[in-house]
Amino acid sequence: MRLPISERLGGDLKQVVDDLMTVKAAAVKPAGLTVPQYAALLGLYDNPGITAAALARLCHVTPQTMTTILQNLEAAGLIVRTPHPWHRNMLETRLTEAGQA
């Protein structure tokens, strides 16, 4: 016997997650950010110089999604990406002063 969605724990959990995302989005909107952008900035604050791939894992998004997030943050002047001193094909990502603010 299948329960209706309104009686399933999974339905309640999904609603809580949706509500949380709505609140998070409202909280970061005044700064002109999305929730994934804020998560990336927070990850960079705690891990200066982290690679995009590592940041994607930390933020639970795909590397492709993180690439887009980082391009948007860089265009907004919130991060800077520079070549790694030893690995030429790797970029280090760091917050700018605006990104730290």
Side-chain angles (χ1 to χ4, degrees):
M1 178 174 133
R2 288 188 142 180
L3 293 173
I5 190 79
S6 62
E7 294 180 28
R8 295 183 198 171
L9 178 59
D12 292 338
L13 291 173
K14 171 117 175 61
Q15 185 60 53
V16 169
V17 169
D18 290 347
D19 292 347
L20 179 60
M21 285 303 290
T22 299
V23 171
K24 284 180 172 182
V28 298
K29 187 175 181 178
L33 298 171
T34 65
V35 174
Q37 288 172 334
Y38 177 79
L41 291 174
L42 189 59
L44 286 166
Y45 183 82
D46 289 338
N47 302 280
I50 193 171
T51 64
L55 188 58
R57 287 189 294 274
L58 184 67
C59 294
H60 306 289
V61 298
T62 66
Q64 295 84 356
T65 298
M66 186 53 67
T67 296
T68 301
I69 291 169
L70 292 176
Q71 287 171 345
N72 291 333
L73 291 173
E74 189 170 31
L78 299 176
I79 64 166
V80 63
R81 301 180 78 195
T82 56
H84 188 279
W86 303 309
H87 305 286
R88 282 182 259 156
N89 294 334
M90 192 181 298
L91 292 175
E92 292 183 322
T93 307
R94 298 184 187 277
L95 295 174
T96 62
E97 286 185 31
Q100 289 180 13

